[in-house]
Amino acid sequence: MIENFIASTKYTQNLFKINNKILEEIEVTALDEKVPIITREVLNFMVFTARGIKARNILEIGTAVGYSGIFLAEVAKENGGYLTTIEIDEGRYNQAVENFRKMKILNDNRLILGDALEEIPKLDKSRKFDFIFIDASKGQYMKFFNETWNLLNEGGLIFIDNIMFKGFITENYENTPKKYRTIIRRLDEFVKKLNLEYDFVLLPFGDGVGLVRK
Ligand code: SAM
């Protein structure tokens, strides 16, 4: 067990270098504006994982300003596909469009403005995904998962971030802050269902990462 987990996390984050000025600016601006973007160590692992399965078509739920999406779009492009990403907040969606434009990848990918629970059923069912990144409202994770499972190719992966919710996930959520209890209870149910019924692994790093393989 690593005693100083925070220092180890920082060390791991610093190993991940971004060699692109525009992308670095997007990251800095998002952090300054308190947009909750993926942390570098989780991003590094996610890109490693998506690249490892040669993910061609990728779906992201929760674009925010497009930071993680830019990396996923790159993996999809390497494998001859593209990224579809959904964001509910119009301001963030507009920023993501602008960021994809700056990176010159706007026309190669599909950015959708709307509630993922309404937009997913409208996606073309004949075009399945190899990699799905769930990173939107935590209380809805089970629903996002249920909506997307049939859209995942055999051998594909669903990558779920923040599944342990600030480390609050526990079997005894009565002892956790009141305002988070519903989310924690739902995440706990979700994790247990995945563990029981699916090919699932839970990684307690970052904010908790869940991986499900079909
Ligand atoms: N994936 C982004 C990144 O790492 O750069 C960060 C995404 S942020 C954690 C979560 C985003 O999901 C927010 O911008 C929020 O507006 C969006 N969101 C929340 N509920 C949603 C829903 N039902 N459908 C689509 N987007 C949603």
Side-chain angles (χ1 to χ4, degrees):
M1 178 69 90
I2 293 175
E3 290 291 331
N4 193 341
F5 186 68
I6 292 175
S8 305
T9 297
K10 285 232 151 58
Y11 179 88
T12 314
Q13 287 173 343
N14 288 337
L15 290 180
F16 185 71
K17 302 288 177 219
I18 297 175
N19 299 316
N20 180 304
K21 271 242 158 333
I22 300 171
L23 197 41
E24 229 169 348
E25 264 174 43
I26 293 170
E27 187 193 42
V28 170
T29 308
L31 293 173
D32 281 353
E33 294 177 357
K34 307 238 175 319
V35 178
I37 56 169
I38 192 167
T39 51
R40 280 192 178 197
E41 80 285 18
V42 178
L43 176 63
N44 197 7
F45 176 60
M46 180 172 74
V47 170
F48 180 88
T49 309
R51 198 166 263 139
I53 62 160
K54 297 191 174 13
R56 202 161 79 90
N57 289 320
I58 300 182
L59 173 66
E60 176 183 57
I61 303 172
T63 319
V65 297
Y67 176 67
S68 55
I70 291 168
F71 291 88
L72 290 175
E74 190 181 333
V75 175
K77 188 178 178 189
E78 286 164 10
N79 296 303
Y82 65 90
L83 170 76
T84 302
T85 178
I86 310 174
E87 171 57 47
I88 200 169
D89 181 281
E90 194 168 357
R92 286 187 181 166
Y93 164 82
N94 288 334
Q95 271 180 279
V97 167
E98 192 44 38
N99 288 335
F100 270 59
R101 202 193 315 275
K102 278 189 202 156
M103 294 296 294
K104 300 190 173 39
I105 57 168
L106 181 59
N107 296 331
D108 303 332
N109 296 286
R110 186 162 175 224
L111 278 67
I112 300 172
L113 171 63
D115 182 339
L117 292 174
E118 287 170 19
E119 298 302 323
I120 294 163
K122 295 184 203 159
L123 295 174
D124 175 4
K125 305 223 171 12
S126 64
R127 201 180 148 272
K128 297 206 169 179
F129 298 97
D130 307 301
F131 191 89
I132 297 174
F133 177 34
I134 297 182
D135 193 26
S137 46
K138 316 305 160 213
Q140 310 267 49
Y141 270 14
M142 181 105 77
K143 286 188 186 163
F144 295 138
F145 178 83
N146 289 338
E147 284 295 329
T148 51
W149 182 248
N150 287 335
L151 296 175
L152 186 68
N153 278 322
E154 288 297 321
L157 288 175
I158 297 191
F159 190 104
I160 308 156
D161 196 13
N162 311 106
I163 199 168
M164 301 187 80
F165 198 69
K166 306 174 204 286
F168 283 130
I169 198 167
T170 161
E171 288 180 289
N172 184 11
Y173 45 83
E174 282 75 18
N175 295 335
T176 58
K178 255 200 173 131
K179 62 178 176 178
Y180 296 143
R181 272 186 207 166
T182 304
I183 293 181
I184 293 162
R185 181 178 45 76
R186 286 188 186 171
L187 285 174
D188 178 39
E189 283 166 12
F190 181 44
V191 164
K192 293 206 170 116
K193 180 183 162 73
L194 292 177
N195 196 41
L196 206 65
E197 298 173 19
Y198 294 84
D199 188 2
F200 169 68
V201 63
L202 175 63
L203 303 170
F205 90 111
D207 200 15
V209 171
L211 271 170
V212 191
R213 181 170 45 200
K214 194 163 186 177

